[in-house]
Amino acid sequence: MKNYQVNDEGYYGEFGGAYIPASLEACVKELRENYLKVMDTPEFKEEFGMLLHDYVGRPSPLYLAKRLSDKYGCKIYLKREDLNHTGAHKINNAIGQVLLAKRMGKKRIIAETGAGQHGVATATVCALMNMECIVYMGKTDIERQHVNVEKMRMLGAEVRAVTDGSMTLTDAVDAAINDWSKNQADTFYVIGSTVGPHPYPDLVARLQSVISEEIKKQLLAHEGRDYPDYLIACIGGGSNAAGTVYHYLDDERVKIVLAEAGGKGANTDMTAATINVGREGVLHGFKTLVIQDETGEIREPYSISAGLDYPGIGPMHANLAAQKRAKALAITDSEALEAAFELTRMEGIIPALESSHALATLSKIDFKPTDIVVLTVSGRGDKDIQTYLENR
Ligand SMILES: *Cc1c(COP(=O)(O)O)cnc(C)c1O
């Protein structure tokens, strides 16, 4: 049987691993040797479970979208991560990693953020747990994501502007890694998606796996069977998708569809469709598919959706695509916008632009009337209202 989980060396097939400078080896090793042990303790499980339930508001509903189902000729359930506290799935991961940091004796939390969503989730949890929080953010992104910057500050985090390079996410990652290597003894680096050196992709996937754990129970209650015919999720780095598919990876009855950001089109230079156009390379400490030019230089990705605007993809997903376990569809900006307006008008749910990419796959798949589909709505659209208004 094929294995889609990480192996002992930190690889998913040929992707993953830990490509890090010598200065980081000790802290990555410390994390690798502790994360499973800590997460397996009854104390961790109890506190994590309590916070997901009472603070985040889990389980998130699994909602049968009737009008959407009628339109696409199958049964479509929406997994409502948009209803979580702070408006997306990222809080599941932030809580888990800060709990882990505390148990590893760390006092200081650092994170990097592009659009600001992961920064806000991390700052939220640090306020809750009374931890020092420093968020690295490119200066360009600080100017673009003003509201999230103010939220982080209100929550008590220090937002540090990064003025190197293109002053965006990639440069913020470098700044966070630099901080981590200098402050290993007391600092924990909270990564926001299934990316980075091993064990981060596995750690984040496990923390988000509560999504598919709940889907199993909820589908059984709704349908009398605990698996769908299709699972659909959008992918930036891959964390909401990893959580959605985690407990179904070995169940080949379940087809997996990943929606990546096509931008202006996967055949143009303005795209973030990594699985469709990327080639193997090393990015941010792991081997994966990377959007690059002929010389191997990373190409600046583009998407209308800030959360999907990443030049790489988590190693789990690169492998799922390589093994043909998952199909990756590139969704353009305009297709995503159209899907957002459709969900809003048909179901009264304004989705995040990222999630709209997942919704746009519905019109590209040939469903049978008996098909049961679970689609994860990773976040709510409040943060994207300006973009929606400009593209009405
Ligand atoms: C950050 C974000 C994403 C993309 O991140 P993944 O790790 O791929 O899940 C998707 N949707 C929303 C709402 C986000 O905030």
Side-chain angles (χ1 to χ4, degrees):
M1 200 177 80
K2 286 184 182 171
N3 178 22
Y4 304 108
Q5 291 290 0
V6 73
N7 69 18
D8 291 341
E9 284 76 50
Y11 282 86
Y12 299 83
E14 58 193 291
F15 303 104
Y19 296 78
I20 49 173
S23 60
L24 279 185
E25 262 164 29
C27 41
V28 170
K29 180 163 179 269
E30 186 189 15
L31 180 61
R32 196 172 62 230
E33 285 172 353
N34 281 286
Y35 80 111
L36 291 176
K37 252 187 270 173
V38 172
M39 285 169 72
D40 209 33
T41 60
E43 296 75 27
F44 179 94
K45 287 181 184 168
E46 191 183 324
E47 192 173 1
F48 187 44
M50 181 274 287
L51 287 170
L52 289 180
H53 186 268
D54 296 345
Y55 188 72
V56 176
R58 305 201 71 92
S60 64
L62 186 72
Y63 163 68
L64 175 59
K66 284 238 176 57
R67 292 184 64 199
L68 212 59
S69 299
D70 284 347
K71 170 155 186 191
Y72 291 104
C74 58
K75 238 174 170 178
I76 299 170
Y77 286 91
L78 302 178
K79 183 60 172 161
R80 300 288 311 275
E81 294 301 298
D82 59 308
L83 294 176
N84 292 342
H85 177 46
T86 67
H89 63 292
K90 287 200 173 72
I91 190 85
N92 305 326
N93 171 57
I95 289 178
Q97 285 196 47
V98 176
L99 285 178
L100 176 58
K102 276 175 78 170
R103 281 165 175 75
M104 286 173 63
K106 308 295 180 185
K107 303 257 164 337
R108 187 171 169 270
I109 297 294
I110 60 170
E112 94 295 316
T113 196
Q117 297 302 109
H118 171 55
V120 170
T122 305
T124 299
V125 179
C126 287
L128 175 71
M129 298 189 191
N130 194 21
M131 299 276 272
E132 184 185 353
C133 181
I134 291 150
V135 180
Y136 288 93
M137 193 168 183
K139 189 163 166 280
T140 310
D141 288 333
I142 288 181
E143 284 155 14
R144 287 194 291 205
Q145 308 290 342
H146 180 66
V147 173
N148 277 340
V149 173
E150 293 311 325
K151 278 188 190 171
M152 285 184 263
R153 290 185 175 140
M154 185 167 172
L155 287 159
E158 180 192 337
V159 180
R160 285 197 190 160
V162 179
T163 53
D164 302 318
S166 59
M167 303 193 244
T168 56
L169 179 64
T170 301
D171 314 292
V173 172
D174 291 338
I177 287 176
N178 186 39
D179 179 318
W180 195 26
S181 64
K182 285 185 188 145
N183 299 288
Q184 308 188 10
D186 67 341
T187 298
F188 191 100
Y189 179 20
V190 176
I191 290 186
S193 189
T194 42
V195 297
H198 177 67
Y200 278 106
D202 185 48
L203 168 61
V204 177
R206 285 171 187 267
L207 293 171
Q208 292 289 3
S209 71
V210 63
I211 298 173
S212 50
E213 196 180 305
E214 289 174 5
I215 292 172
K216 279 201 151 182
K217 288 187 198 141
Q218 291 168 320
L219 259 191
L220 189 62
H222 281 287
E223 293 289 338
R225 63 150 143 134
D226 70 355
Y227 68 96
D229 298 291
Y230 286 88
L231 285 171
I232 305 177
C234 67
I235 40 169
S239 70
N240 87 87
T244 301
V245 305
Y246 194 87
H247 291 288
Y248 294 108
L249 283 172
D250 295 327
D251 187 344
E252 307 268 353
R253 294 171 300 187
V254 182
K255 300 178 194 72
I256 297 173
V257 178
L258 306 172
E260 54 180 10
K264 302 284 187 200
N267 52 352
T268 71
D269 273 357
M270 294 184 76
T271 186
T274 314
I275 293 178
N276 278 279
V277 307
R279 283 181 293 123
E280 207 172 288
V282 171
L283 175 75
H284 299 153
F286 64 110
K287 191 188 277 183
T288 188
L289 298 171
V290 182
I291 298 186
Q292 47 191 306
D293 62 21
E294 298 74 36
T295 65
E297 198 73 27
I298 296 170
R299 212 170 70 201
E300 191 79 8
Y302 164 82
S303 166
I304 193 171
S305 156
L308 303 185
D309 198 354
Y310 184 63
I313 178 69
M316 174 197 272
H317 309 288
N319 182 50
L320 290 176
Q323 306 279 337
K324 307 230 180 311
R325 176 70 186 91
K327 191 168 175 172
L329 300 179
I331 302 298
T332 64
D333 291 354
S334 53
E335 289 169 333
L337 285 165
E338 198 179 311
F341 284 100
E342 178 178 271
L343 186 74
T344 302
R345 290 295 174 82
M346 290 181 74
E347 300 287 348
I349 298 169
I350 303 179
L353 259 170
E354 292 86 355
S355 320
S356 306
H357 286 71
L359 291 157
T361 66
L362 291 171
S363 63
K364 297 177 182 280
I365 302 169
D366 236 345
F367 295 113
K368 295 199 297 275
T370 52
D371 280 338
I372 294 172
V373 178
V374 173
L375 185 151
T376 295
V377 180
S378 54
R380 66 179 80 130
D382 303 35
K383 67 184 178 58
D384 299 313
I385 292 299
Q386 194 58 39
T387 308
Y388 288 145
L389 291 180
E390 285 161 10
N391 291 279
R392 204 157 28 175

